[in-house]
Amino acid sequence: SDLLVVTGTHGITTTTALLGTIFEAAGLDPTVLAGDIVKNWGSSVRFGKGEYFIVEGDEYQEKFRLFKPIGVLIPSLDWDHPDYFKTREDYLNSFESWLKENKEAKVVRTFEKADEKIFEKAKFILPGEKYRQNCFKAIRLSRLFEIPQEAIIRGINNFQGVKRRLEYYADWVVYDYAHHPEEIKATLTALKERHPDKTLIAIFQPHTYTRTEAFLNDFAKSFSDADEVYFEEIYASAREKDRKITIEDLIRETQKYHPHARHLRELKLSTKGGKILYVFMGAGDIWQKAKKLGELFQKRKRGSN
């Protein structure tokens, strides 16, 4: 089958799912393998009978290098997984050499005016500049595979998003998988755009000690769109033995840039809702707290009606 790989650092699960929905709308009946549950299919896998196989290429331990694709979409490249890629150069070189090995593939890393024009005719569910640009790139790759404009628009309109990506558990409780400084910024900016009148309260659980240490200063600077920010203890990976850094280090560092950075235990919940948006972020188990809070709010709401 003809393999299309979506890989890179941020936005790859959503972009894989979106590309799959576009190919589906074009009647190409693709098989799609994404990194989380795609709401359209209620699964992270879609089994199709068509010739196209669209897969999310995990960059951890360079797993994407196993693929020999005919098409490649890279939403973004940014250093991550510092426990495996020791430097930014190691990370970027890994992708560049893989692209060189696959010179025949159609590769999309940017978009064109024409892609934006098609996007403007569609109704895309996700807010924020980063998600829009990823959608432009999905349009670009679809055009390279000669999918007609009507099918592209239909695919974008059909797309319902991916679980755990900007997922609302109540009107004022949202969770996002953001676990890298650039993702945190993108998520907060997107939510500020969607809810300009709300007080944004960010709750972040760092994922792995190595990442927290490598990006400490970048994390500290990434909450400027939040009105208040609270930190949950670091979520450790089973592989990690070395734990020099603590959540207190991150709180102290963040306080240099954000006057209201605290530990999560200091958060006083307001059940007034309405004017507040609680934004939970992280790749660990923090989503469970978001879900519980959402359920609590829904119950109170039902109780007061």
Side-chain angles (χ1 to χ4, degrees), residues 62-76:
E62 307 181 85
K63 291 195 190 77
F64 63 87
R65 303 200 66 154
L66 303 169
F67 299 120
K68 295 268 168 273
I70 61 161
V72 176
L73 200 169
I74 299 183
S76 67

Side-chain angles (χ1 to χ4, degrees), residues 38-257:
V38 181
K39 291 181 182 177
N40 290 62
W41 310 317
S43 167
S44 61
V45 186
R46 179 194 192 276
F47 294 103
K49 295 192 174 61
E51 63 189 285
Y52 290 107
F53 183 22
I54 300 171
V55 63
E56 172 174 332
D58 185 0
E59 84 274 35
Y60 188 63
Q61 293 172 339
E62 307 181 85
K63 291 195 190 77
F64 63 87
R65 303 200 66 154
L66 303 169
F67 299 120
K68 295 268 168 273
I70 61 161
V72 176
L73 200 169
I74 299 183
S76 67
L77 271 188
D78 219 344
W79 182 31
D80 196 10
H81 301 294
D83 57 331
Y84 181 84
F85 298 100
K86 292 301 173 237
T87 66
R88 190 183 182 86
E89 284 63 45
D90 291 346
Y91 188 89
L92 300 178
N93 289 343
S94 173
F95 285 94
E96 299 307 335
S97 61
W98 176 67
L99 290 174
K100 277 201 189 78
E101 286 160 25
N102 291 283
K103 277 200 279 287
E104 276 64 64
K106 294 177 167 134
V107 179
V108 168
R109 306 175 76 163
T110 55
F111 51 86
E112 299 177 349
K113 211 68 220 121
D115 306 312
E116 296 184 60
K117 285 215 165 70
I118 293 174
F119 177 87
E120 280 157 19
K121 297 177 186 161
K123 288 182 179 59
F124 184 51
I125 189 170
L126 297 167
E129 193 50 41
K130 290 285 193 288
Y131 277 125
R132 278 193 289 277
Q133 290 187 5
N134 292 350
C135 187
F136 299 159
K137 290 173 192 176
I139 295 170
R140 175 103 192 90
L141 191 64
S142 304
R143 284 172 52 224
L144 289 177
F145 283 92
E146 287 163 12
I147 293 180
Q149 175 174 312
E150 304 69 58
I152 294 175
I153 293 167
R154 207 168 43 247
I156 296 169
N157 292 349
N158 290 347
F159 182 60
Q160 295 159 30
V162 176
K163 273 216 183 290
R164 307 198 306 149
R165 308 295 187 283
L166 287 182
E167 184 160 23
Y168 287 76
Y169 290 121
D171 293 341
W172 48 83
V173 180
V174 66
Y175 164 74
D176 191 80
Y177 189 71
H179 56 286
H180 182 285
E182 290 304 317
E183 292 168 352
I184 292 168
K185 284 193 272 196
T187 295
L188 293 173
T189 306
L191 289 168
K192 206 177 165 86
E193 177 187 298
R194 183 182 266 177
H195 305 282
D197 54 335
K198 292 203 175 176
T199 299
L200 285 194
I201 295 182
I203 296 124
F204 178 59
Q205 176 190 46
H207 189 260
T208 74
Y209 287 83
T210 42
R211 192 185 275 116
T212 310
E213 190 171 3
F215 301 137
L216 188 71
N217 189 254
D218 296 325
F219 275 124
K221 291 179 179 161
S222 54
F223 295 95
S224 54
D225 275 334
D227 295 287
E228 297 174 20
V229 50
Y230 295 89
F231 293 93
E232 171 62 299
E233 293 294 330
I234 297 168
Y235 186 87
S237 146
R239 289 183 299 268
E240 294 189 294
K241 303 284 170 278
D242 187 21
R243 300 184 176 182
K244 291 196 290 283
I245 202 148
T246 68
I247 197 65
E248 278 68 33
D249 296 323
L250 180 54
I251 294 171
R252 257 198 312 279
E253 190 65 20
T254 308
Q255 282 168 346
K256 296 177 188 171
Y257 309 98

Side-chain angles (χ1 to χ4, degrees), residues 237-289:
S237 146
R239 289 183 299 268
E240 294 189 294
K241 303 284 170 278
D242 187 21
R243 300 184 176 182
K244 291 196 290 283
I245 202 148
T246 68
I247 197 65
E248 278 68 33
D249 296 323
L250 180 54
I251 294 171
R252 257 198 312 279
E253 190 65 20
T254 308
Q255 282 168 346
K256 296 177 188 171
Y257 309 98
H258 203 296
H260 205 297
R262 308 273 187 277
H263 193 285
L264 183 56
R265 58 176 168 257
E266 294 184 46
L267 173 62
K268 310 240 182 317
L269 283 177
S270 158
T271 45
K272 288 197 286 289
K275 283 284 163 224
I276 293 176
L277 186 69
Y278 293 99
V279 188
F280 289 78
M281 292 177 289
D285 53 10
I286 191 80
W287 66 273
Q288 293 168 350
K289 285 202 159 113

